[in-house]
Amino acid sequence: MDLGLKGAAVLVTGASSGVGLATAAALLAEGAHVAACARDGVRLEKALADLPRAEGARLYTASCDVLDQAQVETFVADAARELGGLAGVVNNAGRSLMARLAETTDDQWRDELHLKIFSVLHVVRAALPWLRAAANPAVVNVNAILARQPEPRLAATSAARAALLNLSTTLATELAEDGVRVNSVCLGLVDTGQWRRRYEASGSELSFVDWSAELAADRGIPLGRLGTAEEVAFPIVTLLSPRASYVTGATIDVGGGIARYV
């Protein structure tokens, strides 16, 4: 199916690995132009250098810390100039803090909330003039099932994710009058760099496949495995498509059935 993204310019944050990289790859394959950023510009360029792309698809990359408003404004303006505007934004930059309540300092609470909220606000504010001028503008915020189903082992991250989900709903309502759709994709456990690093740090004698299967069983994932970045990229790109033009304020879970809420 043609998703109608050929020639559309989409900005993707946190694009040097994992879900961000997979999303950039999927967009380029659809013929979209991609503006990709990450804090480590060298790593970003290396990761995206050999991605296949449809004929005419263009790629613009730059180092950018999404928590630095000035850097974000510069990146967005440069990307829009290079690609002829912006029709979409994927807010993907983020991390998780593995710590229970008693182990989390006040500074860590502030850092988690600051990252989850301002990594989105800075980008959306800067991109809004171009989104308003686009034919079918859309924003997708990459979030986590933790937003609705908190885990004690991720106390601050769970709370910050809930705040982002709330903000996403507000953005969807506020920006609807400008024709800008805002949706969320909430992840469960996905096989990205974070889980690979935790596996390596565990010193386990199991293969990663067996280790991650045990992890999936421990977390109660009905499908019995971790997800892949590509499986997350698909709904992100679908929500950016003009074919999803009546979808806003929605949340799609990609978690292998781990969600227990209705």
Side-chain angles (χ1 to χ4, degrees), residues 217-238:
D218 176 67
R219 298 298 177 88
I221 300 174
L223 289 184
R225 63 174 178 85
L226 304 189
T228 68
E230 290 73 21
E231 288 172 318
V232 181
F234 175 74
I236 292 173
V237 173
T238 300

Side-chain angles (χ1 to χ4, degrees), residues 171-196:
L171 287 171
T173 303
E174 291 287 323
L175 300 184
E177 64 183 28
D178 295 313
V180 180
R181 297 182 298 106
V182 182
N183 294 290
S184 300
V185 172
C186 287
L187 317 188
L189 275 67
V190 176
D191 178 6
T192 61
Q194 291 187 46
W195 286 112
R196 294 280 174 169

Side-chain angles (χ1 to χ4, degrees), residues 1-256:
M1 176 185 291
D2 181 2
L3 294 179
L5 290 168
K6 184 175 179 61
V10 181
L11 185 152
V12 182
T13 68
S16 61
S17 64
V19 171
L21 178 59
T23 300
L27 286 166
L28 290 169
E30 286 291 324
H33 305 321
V34 175
C37 76
R39 285 181 299 174
D40 189 335
V42 174
R43 182 186 180 198
L44 176 69
E45 287 191 14
K46 183 178 180 181
L48 274 65
D50 298 323
L51 289 181
R53 63 185 79 173
E55 183 178 357
R58 296 161 57 196
L59 175 64
Y60 173 75
T61 64
S63 172
C64 179
D65 181 349
V66 290
L67 295 183
D68 186 317
Q69 184 174 347
Q71 286 189 34
V72 170
E73 290 174 352
T74 298
F75 169 64
V76 171
D78 289 347
R81 183 177 62 252
E82 289 290 327
L83 302 179
L86 288 174
V89 169
V90 179
N91 289 306
N92 171 68
R95 62 167 184 262
S96 296
L97 175 65
M98 187 71 76
R100 292 178 176 271
L101 277 172
E103 302 164 346
T104 309
T105 67
D106 287 355
D107 284 342
Q108 288 174 318
W109 275 101
R110 281 186 282 268
D111 287 346
E112 278 296 284
L113 288 164
H114 186 72
L115 173 62
K116 301 304 185 289
I117 297 300
F118 284 96
S119 65
V120 171
L121 279 181
H122 285 164
V123 177
V124 171
R125 285 170 176 167
L128 195 52
W130 285 277
L131 292 173
R132 284 175 172 147
N136 296 288
V139 175
V140 178
N141 294 329
V142 179
N143 205 332
I145 289 173
L146 294 173
R148 290 176 170 169
Q149 187 168 290
E151 287 191 22
R153 289 170 285 193
L154 293 153
T157 296
S158 295
R161 290 295 189 188
L164 174 56
L165 188 60
N166 189 291
L167 173 63
S168 299
T169 301
T170 299
L171 287 171
T173 303
E174 291 287 323
L175 300 184
E177 64 183 28
D178 295 313
V180 180
R181 297 182 298 106
V182 182
N183 294 290
S184 300
V185 172
C186 287
L187 317 188
L189 275 67
V190 176
D191 178 6
T192 61
Q194 291 187 46
W195 286 112
R196 294 280 174 169
R197 289 190 292 272
R198 288 173 186 172
Y199 163 68
E200 291 166 3
S202 73
S204 174
E205 295 182 358
L206 296 175
S207 68
F208 178 77
V209 172
D210 291 339
W211 180 87
S212 60
E214 286 193 354
L215 175 65
D218 176 67
R219 298 298 177 88
I221 300 174
L223 289 184
R225 63 174 178 85
L226 304 189
T228 68
E230 290 73 21
E231 288 172 318
V232 181
F234 175 74
I236 292 173
V237 173
T238 300
L239 287 170
L240 291 169
S241 168
R243 290 183 177 274
S245 58
Y246 200 53
V247 181
T248 195
T251 302
I252 296 178
D253 287 351
V254 185

